[in-house]
Amino acid sequence: MTDRILIIDFGSQVTQLIARRVRESGVYSEIHPFNKVSSKSIKDFKPNGVILSGGPASVTEMDTPRAPDELFNMGLPVLGICYGQQTMIERLGGKVETNEKKEFGHSTVAITGDCKLLDATWRKGSQQQVWMSHGDRVTSLPSGFHVVGKSDAAPYAIVADDDRKFYGVQFHPEVVHTPYGAELIRTFTHAIAGCSGNWTMSAFKDQAISKLRKEVGKSKVICGLSGGVDSSVVAVLLHEAIGDQLTCVFVDTGLMRLGEPEQVVELFRDHYKIPLIHNNASEHFLEKLGGITDPEQKRKIIGNAFIKIFEEEAKILGGADFLAQGTLYPDVIESVSFDGGPSVTIKSHHNVGGLPEVMNVKLLEPLRELFKDEVRELGRELGLPEHFVGRHPFPGPGLAIRIPGEITPEKLNTLREVDAIYLEEIRGAGLYNEIWQAFAILLPVQTVGVMGDRRTYDYVCALRAVTSTDGMTADFFPFDMEFLGRTANRIINEVRGINRVVYDITSKPPGTIEWE
Ligand code: XMP
């Protein structure tokens, strides 16, 4: 059994980062919401150690979440982060109080003592830059604990009980604003919880392949291939596991970028020799989208048309026992809500969610334990070209949600040309991998311009590029003016019908990444 760390989630915005840091230390980890954790579930998971996440609640109030009491009698090492530290200290008999002085953002912790959580970097006498986000603080410790780090507003910024292997930090070691936080997490997983750090992509690949062979047996598997990173990795992984028992279906919606449908067919059918059905349904999608301007209606129409075509192809194939999907770990993690209410739908993203029910097949989700960057690593391990593995995320409804208003074949072609120039410039400037997503939007607005002494009355396009770690929040990418000027110039000169280019400098929130 691989070493593993259990992360109990109390609803922090950055809990996923804890899991990533643990995995970066070569240790498998899973996030379980606090209200689903019991002593049985902990025993079943067999963790080498447990990390309690931060959270928005206050342990000074009744009816807020608590760490399970039994956890502290199981002989497991525990690291409590922020709220996690507070609930651990409170459960073990210490005291937590609401502080007059709140601490948000950068802070400095003075290391005043010694314990096994602190390595050479976090040595006694050093000052550590950390990121804090707390209103409450620990004010007295349970017996067995001693304090090893202090900040201005947190006299118990790091506390330790080496005998029981319980540690608490008031700051967030998982965020990049705590520059040496990853070391702290690594010391916890390795030196304290005794994990060996053998969670590698190559080991994961071998395990995944033998698991898939066992699960699938002699059955037939069908996989929807879009050319995005996730479905590409699923397809190649499955092909390596079960060969021609896998058939991929590529529904070409006609809403993809310039040259992408051809690249998908060439790589998967011609290069990998994966049985691939290419259904060119662009006309069908365009017809269905005729006259539609509402973004959610576009999504619905595209999602339904996709499901229908996919199902028909599956029938022609004579059915399949399994449907493979590129579900990732962030899609699986249950988010914890404190007000009990459902979260508001901003956009209905998952437009192929209805497939398994419609087709009455079992689901295969070989990536459901992985984060996006781990999927890319797996893709590299499987030999997929960098061009595919490093690709920016691309939404299922494709260019349809990058053309506000009605979609026409002419508009799609114009947008494709703009988009191709923009991406070519980004790649040429060596910026592609620094950006989470970059794309163009064709606006339903005409403006007056002057080209070669003649008046023009053409369309405006917007360019968008953002940095992000998970698409949940994003910042606009700070291109230099020279880059923007050059790219705008090329677009206006090379694409007919565009006479103005604007750059979107909205972050998310309050904006979203896509315009629709
Ligand atoms: P937003 O626009 O909500 O986008 O900030 C966050 C991420 O989700 C992608 N996105 C979609 N993906 N179907 C998809 O498969 C959709 O309908 C959809 N809408 C947005 C978006 O590209 C970004 O990566």
Side-chain angles (χ1 to χ4, degrees), residues 304 307-308 310-312 315 323 352-361:
N304 290 340
I307 289 175
K308 204 156 167 279
F310 195 94
E311 198 200 355
E312 279 164 16
K315 267 195 201 132
L323 171 74
V352 294
L355 260 177
E357 294 83 51
V358 171
M359 289 174 55
N360 193 22
V361 284

Side-chain angles (χ1 to χ4, degrees), residues 387-501:
H387 184 65
F388 269 81
V389 174
R391 211 166 242 191
H392 291 166
F394 187 72
L399 301 183
I401 55 168
R402 293 176 179 172
I403 301 178
E406 195 185 349
I407 298 151
T408 63
E410 296 75 30
K411 283 187 182 176
L412 278 168
N413 284 336
T414 306
L415 180 57
R416 274 195 195 101
E417 286 181 48
V418 173
D419 192 75
I421 294 172
Y422 182 37
L423 287 189
E424 195 178 299
E425 286 295 327
I426 288 176
R427 286 189 196 275
L431 296 173
Y432 190 82
N433 291 337
E434 284 180 39
I435 294 169
W436 166 266
Q437 253 176 311
F439 53 89
I441 305 105
L442 182 63
L443 305 189
V445 177
Q446 281 173 284
T447 67
V448 175
V450 52
M451 279 175 98
D453 294 334
R454 288 185 45 188
R455 178 187 191 270
T456 59
Y457 189 55
D458 285 334
Y459 284 99
V460 185
C461 74
L463 305 180
R464 180 111 168 105
V466 296
T467 55
S468 176
T469 48
D470 52 11
M472 303 293 286
T473 60
D475 284 320
F476 72 88
F477 187 78
F479 285 120
D480 62 42
M481 285 297 160
E482 203 260 322
F483 173 91
L484 287 173
R486 186 176 64 238
T487 307
N489 229 353
R490 267 198 71 190
I491 292 170
I492 293 166
N493 281 313
E494 294 176 35
V495 184
R496 275 187 65 160
I498 299 286
N499 70 353
R500 197 175 292 266
V501 177

Side-chain angles (χ1 to χ4, degrees), residues 168-183:
V169 292
Q170 183 53 69
F171 55 89
H172 288 268
E174 68 275 32
V175 304
V176 289
H177 312 292
T178 301
Y180 297 105
E183 265 95 332

Side-chain angles (χ1 to χ4, degrees), residues 295-296 299 346-352 392-398 401-402 436-437 439 464 466 470-474 508 511-516:
E296 282 303 284
R299 280 190 172 80
I346 309 286
K347 300 176 187 180
S348 53
H349 282 187
H350 297 285
N351 42 37
V352 294
H392 291 166
F394 187 72
I401 55 168
R402 293 176 179 172
W436 166 266
Q437 253 176 311
F439 53 89
R464 180 111 168 105
V466 296
D470 52 11
M472 303 293 286
T473 60
K508 172 181 180 176
T512 53
I513 295 178
E514 304 288 346
W515 276 40
E516 290 201 324

Side-chain angles (χ1 to χ4, degrees), residues 360-379:
N360 193 22
V361 284
K362 285 177 270 182
L363 260 186
L364 268 187
E365 297 177 316
L367 310 182
R368 61 182 281 128
E369 290 166 353
L370 303 184
F371 287 107
K372 190 89 180 180
D373 49 346
E374 293 172 323
V375 173
R376 294 191 205 280
E377 221 181 303
L378 177 61

